[in-house]
Amino acid sequence: MLEWVTRKENLCICGPSGTGKSHFTEALGQAAIEAGMTVAWFTIEDLGALVRRHRADDSLARAMSRLIRTDLIIVDDIGLLPVSPDAAEGFYRLVDAAYERRALAVSSNLHPSGFDEIMPKTLATATVDRLLHHAHVVVTQGDSFRLNQATSGQGVIPLR
Ligand SMILES: Nc1ncnc2c1ncn2[C@@H]1O[C@H](COP(=O)(O)OP(=O)(O)OP(=O)(O)O)[C@@H](O)[C@H]1O
Ligand SMILES: [Mg+2]
């Protein structure tokens, strides 16, 4: 199941809210750790914070090279919130640094071809071009697990 990680390929998991994307990437991270790999987990805004932290002393390239020593890097929930310019830059820099060197898994409500809706078009094109070159794309579908549980009364313990 994790051969693609050792081959340094990517995984893009996309589909509607509540269809298990984060659940899947968490399970994947757990499986990778159990297989003795190292895993890093980010939201896209964490990447924005990383950019800001390292911009001041120009150490971003070094931080990225350090980060891509991790066997599997996961970026979860891209596209739920507006992407700040710093986060868009961080995401591009990560995808570029990891390109053909490290496995990335990203989850998003949008198919990567729609990333130009959430980040500047030229940056999105360059990012997605690298991301999808060696990528497995998994599209989740169906109803939200959350909505199904909520409407079948399993979301809460009933009040007495
Ligand atoms: N295969 C599964 N079996 C049982 N429960 C699941 C499964 N996949 C997801 N769930 C549960 O369904 C809920 C929603 O899943 P998850 O948070 O992964 O959705 P998501 O696709 O990441 O949604 P969003 O786009 O809103 O972030 C969670 O409570 C999760 O634990
Ligand atoms: Mg999610």
Side-chain angles (χ1 to χ4, degrees), residues 72-154:
L72 172 63
I73 304 158
I74 298 171
V75 186
D76 194 38
D77 283 346
I78 298 169
L80 276 180
L81 294 167
V83 177
S84 71
D86 289 340
E89 177 183 341
F91 185 50
Y92 166 74
R93 286 188 186 273
L94 171 63
V95 171
D96 182 47
Y99 177 62
E100 295 186 331
R101 283 190 213 115
R102 203 49 82 198
L104 284 184
V106 305
S107 89
S108 177
N109 285 43
L110 294 170
H111 187 278
S113 61
F115 282 2
D116 56 357
E117 289 171 30
I118 52 165
M119 56 197 273
K121 195 169 170 45
T122 28
L123 201 55
T125 306
T127 306
V128 172
D129 198 47
R130 286 164 176 75
L131 184 67
L132 291 187
H133 185 187
H134 309 292
H136 304 273
V137 179
V138 175
V139 179
T140 59
Q141 54 188 12
D143 297 332
S144 164
F145 278 98
R146 299 185 190 108
L147 185 63
N148 280 347
Q149 285 193 0
T151 51
S152 64
Q154 294 167 285

Side-chain angles (χ1 to χ4, degrees), residues 2-3 5-6 25 33 56 58-59 62 65 86 97 108 113 117 120 122 126 129-130 137 149 158:
L2 295 166
E3 310 84 47
V5 176
T6 52
T25 53
I33 288 167
D58 223 10
S59 59
R62 224 171 328 127
S65 352
D86 289 340
S108 177
S113 61
E117 289 171 30
T122 28
D129 198 47
R130 286 164 176 75
V137 179
Q149 285 193 0

Side-chain angles (χ1 to χ4, degrees), residues 15-24 77 80 109 145-146:
S17 224
T19 51
K21 303 178 300 293
S22 298
H23 187 92
F24 185 78
D77 283 346
L80 276 180
N109 285 43
F145 278 98
R146 299 185 190 108

Side-chain angles (χ1 to χ4, degrees), residues 46-60:
D46 293 334
L47 295 173
L50 187 79
V51 166
R52 283 191 292 279
R53 204 156 59 237
H54 290 278
R55 188 180 277 138
D57 62 354
D58 223 10
S59 59
L60 188 56

